[in-house]
């Protein structure tokens, strides 16, 4: 297996679109490329572990994992055929299908619950979307998932987007200082930020976007054409994915991260306790939020909720929500 100093660049056609390098496995096998949306942050440990833990190799692949620079890049690489699978959010898929007629299909949902949380200070809590009227809200990026989820929350509370002011605060624990300084009243962030703040005993109030905008969160997507041409390859990929996730759930997370860090540049890896705690919380609150029987599966109710919420907020309208996902391949991989 190649280590960090031996990283190979991506193909010239896609290199300018990727911020992070790729991993290539030196063993013989069927070449296979898949992609994260944002580098190699701890949230994507199950993808890194598919390579570092040998799960894809045992399915006959010579894998390469690319680290993307945003979900738009990841979807673009998927459509171009550079990657066979990418991990994105459901709202990204809705947008790509509605606006670009992209033939995307979700083969598995990993996060059944939302990774995005609204954080405020306990002595100035925001516990309800109606409390956002007149407030300044921090979002991760303009036009990104947190921006769109905030719009859905406002619509559900009977508010207009003009009723709040939005400021880009990124996805960092440092956003809490902006609340203390009065620059924002609250901010949206991923669950990893919440875990870090709670481990630091910060006095925070937290509300999941699921309270107003339930929908599948982190999903594995490919194209309809790929599934038609490579059905058995898709099943083998999902077997490796399931095996990796099972190891992450039941194994020594510190050891899994340490092994992955030999192959990937993982931000925050020096604090193994925190990154391990993040995965524990993600498994409990997001992977298993629809029960162990729905682990890795696409839950139709959540997809219908997503369609209703996204369409109701005027964000996007897809022709047929049931065409966005299939459980055929993950059920075969789980059998």
């Amino acid at each position: 297996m190649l280590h960090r100093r031996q990283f190979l660049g991506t193909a010239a056609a896609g290199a300018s679109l990727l911020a992070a390098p790729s991993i290539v496995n030196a063993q013989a096998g069927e070449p296979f490329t898949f992609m994260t949306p944002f580098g190699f942050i701890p949230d994507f440990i199950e993808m890194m572990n598919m390579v570092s833990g040998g799960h894809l190799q045992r399915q006959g692949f010579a894998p390469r994992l690319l680290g993307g620079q945003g979900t738009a890049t990841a979807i673009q690489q998927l459509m171009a055929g550079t990657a066979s699978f990418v991990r994105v959010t459901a709202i990204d898929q809705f947008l790509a299908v509605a606006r670009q007629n992209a033939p995307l299909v979700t083969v598995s949902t990993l996060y059944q619950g939302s990774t995005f949380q609204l954080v405020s200070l306990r002595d100035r809590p925001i516990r309800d979307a109606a409390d956002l009227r007149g407030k300044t809200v921090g979002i991760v990026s303009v036009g990104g998932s947190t921006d769109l989820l905030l719009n859905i929350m406002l619509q559900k509370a009977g508010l207009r987007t003009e009723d709040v002011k939005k400021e880009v605060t990124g996805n960092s624990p440092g956003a809490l200082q902006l609340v203390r300084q009065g620059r924002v009243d609250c901010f949206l962030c991923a669950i990893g930020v919440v875990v870090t703040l709670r481990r630091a005993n910060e006095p925070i109030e937290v509300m999941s976007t699921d309270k107003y905008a339930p929908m599948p969160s982190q999903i594995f997507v490919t194209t309809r054409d790929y599934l038609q041409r490579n059905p058995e390859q898709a099943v083998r990929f999902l077997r490796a994915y399931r095996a990796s996730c099972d190891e992450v759930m039941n194994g020594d997370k510190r050891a899994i991260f340490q092994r992955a860090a030999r192959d990937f540049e993982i931000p925050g890896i020096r604090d193994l306790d925190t990154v391990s705690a993040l995965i524990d919380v993600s498994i409990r609150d997001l992977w298993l939020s629809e029960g162990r029987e729905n682990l890795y599966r696409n839950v139709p109710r959540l997809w219908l909720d997503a369609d209703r919420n996204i369409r109701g907020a005027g964000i996007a309208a897809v022709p047929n929500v049931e065409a966005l996902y299939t459980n055929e391949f993950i059920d075969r991989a789980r059998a």
Side-chain angles (χ1 to χ4, degrees):
M1 186 174 292
L2 302 185
H3 294 275
R4 287 186 294 233
R5 65 180 178 274
Q6 297 170 293
F7 279 140
L8 299 181
T10 60
S16 63
L17 297 175
L18 303 176
S22 62
I23 283 285
V24 178
N25 190 274
Q27 294 179 346
E30 181 181 358
F32 183 85
T33 301
F34 63 127
M35 188 173 185
T36 80
F38 294 107
F40 302 121
I41 62 175
D43 289 31
F44 305 135
I45 185 59
E46 88 289 345
M47 300 181 76
M48 293 180 274
N49 189 51
M50 289 169 74
V51 177
S52 297
H55 298 288
L56 281 164
Q57 294 89 322
R58 284 189 283 276
Q59 291 296 325
F61 294 114
R64 179 171 67 165
L65 176 59
L66 307 180
Q69 194 179 18
T71 53
T73 299
I75 290 174
Q76 186 176 2
Q77 294 297 289
L78 182 67
M79 297 298 295
T82 302
S84 296
F85 288 88
V86 299
R87 183 178 140 177
V88 294
T89 67
I91 203 164
D92 294 316
Q93 183 185 7
F94 272 85
L95 288 173
V97 171
R99 297 178 180 178
Q100 304 170 40
N101 198 30
L104 302 181
V105 182
T106 294
V107 294
S108 176
T109 297
L110 181 60
Y111 284 19
Q112 306 284 4
S114 176
T115 186
F116 294 113
Q117 317 285 312
L118 185 77
V119 176
S120 55
L121 283 169
R122 197 173 295 152
D123 59 357
R124 287 175 275 161
I126 304 291
R127 298 193 178 102
D128 192 279
D131 297 337
L132 293 173
R133 186 189 299 273
K135 299 293 195 299
T136 300
V137 183
I139 56 175
V140 174
S141 62
V142 175
S145 296
T146 53
D147 193 357
L148 299 176
L149 287 168
L150 177 57
N151 290 346
I152 294 173
M153 293 169 66
L154 295 173
Q155 187 269 335
K156 286 288 193 70
L159 301 178
R160 302 168 303 165
T161 56
E162 296 82 5
D163 290 329
V164 304
K165 182 181 178 183
K166 300 176 183 179
E167 293 286 348
V168 174
T169 50
N171 188 43
S172 164
L176 189 65
Q177 297 307 314
L178 302 180
V179 180
R180 287 197 168 102
Q181 295 166 9
R183 295 172 59 182
V184 297
D185 297 288
C186 55
F187 60 94
L188 283 159
C189 62
I191 197 166
V193 173
V194 174
V195 170
T196 299
L197 292 173
R198 282 179 167 158
R199 286 180 61 81
N201 294 316
E202 293 286 5
I204 57 174
E205 184 80 20
V206 179
M207 180 177 69
S208 172
T209 61
D210 276 341
K211 182 175 180 179
Y212 293 93
M215 64 181 68
S217 182
Q218 295 291 305
I219 57 176
F220 279 86
V221 173
T222 187
T223 63
R224 194 169 304 281
D225 180 63
Y226 173 86
L227 291 177
Q228 291 172 348
R229 290 185 293 104
N230 305 285
E232 296 307 317
Q233 188 182 73
V235 173
R236 286 190 289 128
F237 167 75
L238 290 172
R239 284 178 182 148
Y241 153 69
R242 177 194 175 188
S244 176
C245 290
D246 286 352
E247 183 183 19
V248 169
M249 282 195 297
N250 302 311
D252 183 338
K253 294 174 183 60
R254 291 173 60 95
I256 291 170
F257 269 109
Q258 287 174 322
R259 180 176 63 192
R262 294 197 292 267
D263 302 308
F264 300 92
E265 296 281 2
I266 306 174
I269 191 61
R270 292 183 179 178
D271 189 352
L272 282 171
D273 288 338
T274 295
V275 296
S276 298
L278 163 61
I279 302 306
D280 282 333
V281 171
S282 296
I283 292 169
R284 183 193 68 212
D285 295 347
L286 306 180
W287 295 23
L288 296 171
S289 60
E290 290 294 317
R292 190 169 292 273
E293 68 276 11
N294 284 314
L295 180 62
Y296 314 133
R297 300 189 81 249
N298 300 300
V299 179
R301 172 180 50 80
L302 288 178
W303 285 90
L304 290 173
D305 284 344
D307 185 46
R308 186 162 44 248
N309 291 328
I310 294 169
R311 188 184 300 265
I315 294 170
V318 299
N320 178 13
V321 65
E322 293 180 352
L324 298 185
Y325 65 91
T326 177
N327 281 318
E328 174 187 352
F329 301 93
I330 190 61
D331 284 348
R332 288 177 61 189
R334 281 164 46 110

